[in-house]
Amino acid sequence: MVDIETTGAWSNGDRITEIGAVKVRNHKVVDEWHTLLNPQRPIPAKIVQLTGITNEMVRDAPVFANVAESFMEFMGDGIFVAHNVNFDYGFIAYEYERLERRFRFPKLCTCAGMRRRYPGHKSYGLGKLCEIYGIELENHHRALCDARASVHLLNLINRKRHEEVAQAAEAA
């Protein structure tokens, strides 16, 4: 489960300010990885307001190139899972592209998974879903907190998927 915070919405112009990742095996958290990143550009005021990540906080943080190897090792042979996966994946893939490195992982989106398995909600934003399903989201728009909350969504999706498979097997 991966979540990032950025200086804005465009992977080709904005940069990552924080990465949080949680490794899950058999529905259980087995490891976590987290870093602030120096985006090498100012963080806009509206983003500071949203995330609480300030220019002072990232001033002495590593640049992406300095954590690229560590993050790749953390990912191992895993699946890249995120809420709105293409946003997070796109930013991270673009950072590896800048380093002339390949970043290729199978992707899974908890937002799409929740829409499919739990239809009918007005909003499928992380904050709204956490509210609906009683998932703790202490520090929304901070990468590690959002990644931890998304693990619960992944577990809900997997539980529902297993129920559907069991029901289909019974019906057969």
Side-chain angles (χ1 to χ4, degrees):
M1 186 64 58
V2 180
D3 189 78
I4 64 169
E5 302 305 329
T6 65
T7 59
W10 307 105
S11 62
N12 62 350
D14 288 305
R15 300 297 290 270
I16 300 171
T17 57
E18 185 177 41
I19 303 173
V22 179
K23 194 174 286 184
V24 179
R25 285 211 181 89
N26 300 317
H27 314 288
K28 301 228 180 324
V29 172
V30 294
D31 201 4
E32 292 185 339
W33 190 95
H34 171 261
T35 189
L36 284 168
L37 290 172
N38 184 329
Q40 300 174 289
R41 69 197 53 203
I43 302 170
K46 67 178 197 286
I47 300 292
V48 171
Q49 198 174 6
L50 180 70
T51 65
I53 298 169
T54 65
N55 290 300
E56 293 73 36
M57 289 167 69
V58 298
R59 185 172 291 125
D60 297 323
V63 295
F64 185 82
N66 294 345
V67 302
E69 192 56 43
S70 171
F71 184 69
M72 194 65 90
E73 284 171 18
F74 181 82
M75 285 298 300
D77 62 356
I79 298 169
F80 191 101
V81 183
H83 200 71
N84 295 316
V85 71
N86 290 333
F87 178 83
D88 303 78
Y89 191 93
F91 266 92
I92 291 175
Y94 199 80
E95 289 290 348
Y96 280 100
E97 213 175 280
R98 283 186 181 139
L99 302 173
E100 298 178 357
R101 291 188 59 186
R102 206 162 154 253
F103 186 80
R104 299 274 308 265
F105 289 89
K107 294 185 286 188
L108 182 71
C109 181
T110 54
C111 184
M114 288 301 288
R115 283 182 193 280
R116 183 172 174 199
R117 303 274 189 233
Y118 296 87
H121 297 302
K122 280 192 186 97
S123 167
Y124 284 84
L126 182 60
K128 210 25 120 179
L129 289 173
C130 287
E131 204 178 292
I132 292 165
Y133 293 97
I135 296 166
E136 186 180 328
L137 185 57
E138 189 179 305
N139 223 339
H140 193 18
H141 298 297
R142 286 304 302 269
L144 191 56
C145 297
D146 287 1
R148 286 172 178 155
S150 297
V151 167
H152 295 284
L153 296 181
L154 178 64
N155 287 339
L156 280 173
I157 293 162
N158 284 334
R159 205 169 306 136
K160 186 78 137 195
R161 196 170 47 84
H162 291 307
E163 286 169 17
E164 289 167 6
V165 168
Q167 287 169 351
E170 277 176 29

